[in-house]
Amino acid sequence: ATSLRNRRIKHKRSSMKADNSTFGRFKAGDTDIVIDDVAAIAKEAGDAIMAIYDGEKADWKNIADFKADGSPLTKADTTANKIICDALRKKYPRIPIVSEEDPIPSAAERSKWTHFWCVDPLDGTKEFIKRNGQFTVNIGLVAGDSPLAGVVYVPAAADGPVMYKGVKGLGPPVREIDDPLGYDSYKSIFCKTFDESDSGLTIVASASHGSPETEAFIGKYKDCKRLSKGSSLKLLMVAEGAAHVYPRLAPTSEWDTCAAQAIVECAGGEVLQFDGGKQCDAGKPVVYGKEHPLNPFFVVYGKRETRKAPSKKKDLLEDGGGVNVPAVAAGVLGLGALAFLALS
């Protein structure tokens, strides 16, 4: 395990700067946005979280309150939330915000919005308290009812901070690492292509929210490899090809998934509603701006394909179907020659 001292050194040396990148200029209505500016906000919030994480035990372990869903609320949640929301309001005053840590505007008011930010300032508070590093900062942007762009920052990743960012229509998402030498600092990521009938697929599931439904779902895959992670890291694993499937057959909210869903979809994957939780449109993408922010059950897939079994005709052409093809060909030529002589 990485020592607290080493984490402090890594955090102090962190040099990731969004203004070093030229990736991701786009519009949300009549508002110009640069995804790297949003990433800079996520990084500022992540730095504040790490200052608490690496600080006095009383600050990171003390649970200030509990949220409506029973999950804990810490100083890190509220500090990061203020940083993100203040920065978004200042830079993009015409785009409203839905954050896990703030009162949610009424459904009637939200129905008038064309775009909105969907924010989880500290996704994985339980993992933060467990001190396993599996927590993220999530900032997503919704257009209509679909994620348009997303930034997910992983400030306590084992090998140093990692930033994921994606915008639909601008190619594959980017994984940015904090490498002061610049090697492999920016890398496009892609979902893995697979067939669900394949053996040995990698399935990732929640580290803190298992369910009988999840076990039954995973059981249909042959000889699969199982992994567990906290927070939105599971969606990111599918986005970058480290896992093929992530079933989430347990409750989540829009801010838990929005940013990472945008990244998965940019990488060629899908985040599809699944029967068993709240009423949903099974098989369709998870949507946002719902009357209540609770998500239905869902499954995250990489790039699925259905491989067709070779036809018998094709098999015969490829391997001769057990027939000596050269001998048959020679015989046909011989018969042709005899016919020619008979006619002449």
Side-chain angles (χ1 to χ4, degrees):
T2 306
S3 69
L4 179 60
R5 179 175 176 274
N6 288 339
R7 283 196 182 279
R8 282 176 174 159
I9 290 171
K10 285 181 182 178
H11 180 59
K12 183 177 180 181
R13 292 179 180 173
S14 177
S15 60
M16 186 184 295
K17 292 184 179 179
D19 55 8
N20 290 337
S21 173
T22 58
F23 171 77
R25 297 176 181 271
F26 66 104
K27 278 184 172 288
D30 57 0
T31 299
D32 292 309
I33 299 175
V34 180
I35 197 65
D36 292 318
D37 292 339
V38 183
I41 295 170
K43 182 182 181 302
E44 183 182 354
D47 288 347
I49 290 169
M50 291 305 295
I52 296 169
Y53 193 70
D54 289 343
E56 297 297 325
K57 182 176 182 180
D59 282 338
W60 62 258
K61 193 170 186 181
N62 181 49
I63 298 173
D65 202 351
F66 286 91
K67 305 170 192 177
D69 63 358
S71 58
L73 179 70
T74 69
K75 181 180 178 181
D77 294 88
T78 55
T79 300
N81 185 63
K82 186 175 189 325
I83 289 170
I84 294 169
C85 293
D86 285 354
L88 290 176
R89 288 189 185 103
K90 182 178 180 181
K91 196 162 189 68
Y92 310 107
R94 288 177 288 185
I95 302 179
I97 302 169
V98 170
S99 171
E100 180 179 20
E101 312 307 344
D102 291 332
I104 301 171
S106 69
E109 180 180 348
R110 288 184 285 118
S111 68
K112 301 173 186 175
W113 297 350
T114 59
H115 297 79
F116 69 93
W117 298 107
C118 193
V119 174
D120 192 342
L122 176 52
D123 182 27
T125 303
K126 290 180 181 178
E127 316 308 323
F128 175 88
I129 293 171
K130 291 176 185 176
R131 298 186 65 74
N132 62 20
Q134 296 179 21
F135 52 86
T136 61
V137 178
N138 302 346
I139 305 177
L141 179 64
V142 177
D145 64 2
S146 300
L148 171 62
V151 164
V152 179
Y153 185 48
V154 192
D159 296 323
V162 184
M163 183 78 74
Y164 296 84
K165 47 197 175 182
V167 182
K168 288 183 180 176
L170 296 184
V174 168
R175 180 184 190 271
E176 177 186 355
I177 63 173
D178 182 19
D179 181 358
L181 298 179
Y183 297 113
D184 198 31
S185 290
Y186 301 95
K187 179 181 179 181
S188 296
I189 60 174
F190 303 89
C191 293
K192 273 190 176 176
T193 300
F194 69 101
D195 187 299
E196 286 196 89
S197 65
D198 291 344
S199 178
L201 297 177
T202 299
I203 315 295
V204 63
S206 174
S208 302
H209 302 280
S211 70
E213 293 90 347
T214 301
E215 294 302 313
F217 180 90
I218 294 174
K220 73 180 186 178
Y221 292 101
K222 294 184 295 186
D223 301 320
C224 66
K225 177 182 177 182
R226 294 184 57 165
L227 301 174
S228 64
K229 285 284 183 181
S231 68
S232 59
L233 291 172
K234 298 177 288 294
L235 288 96
L236 297 177
M237 288 181 68
V238 177
E240 62 184 337
H244 298 89
V245 182
Y246 159 40
R248 181 54 184 243
L249 312 186
T252 59
S253 294
E254 293 185 2
W255 43 74
D256 296 313
T257 56
C258 179
Q261 179 172 341
I263 293 167
V264 168
E265 291 175 348
C266 287
E270 305 170 289
V271 182
L272 304 181
Q273 301 175 54
F274 191 86
D275 280 328
K278 68 180 286 187
Q279 187 175 359
C280 71
D281 195 355
K284 298 294 181 63
V286 173
V287 296
Y288 295 82
K290 302 183 288 292
E291 183 174 355
H292 189 282
L294 182 69
N295 284 329
F297 289 177
F298 63 85
V299 180
V300 184
Y301 295 101
K303 195 171 183 180
R304 290 188 294 172
E305 65 177 12
T306 302
R307 301 194 188 107
K308 294 181 179 178
S311 67
K312 291 184 179 179
K313 182 178 181 181
K314 183 179 179 183
D315 290 343
L316 287 171
L317 290 173
E318 287 181 349
D319 61 16
V323 177
N324 188 325
V325 175
V328 171
V332 171
L333 289 173
L335 290 172
L338 289 172
F340 175 76
L341 290 171
L343 291 170
S344 58

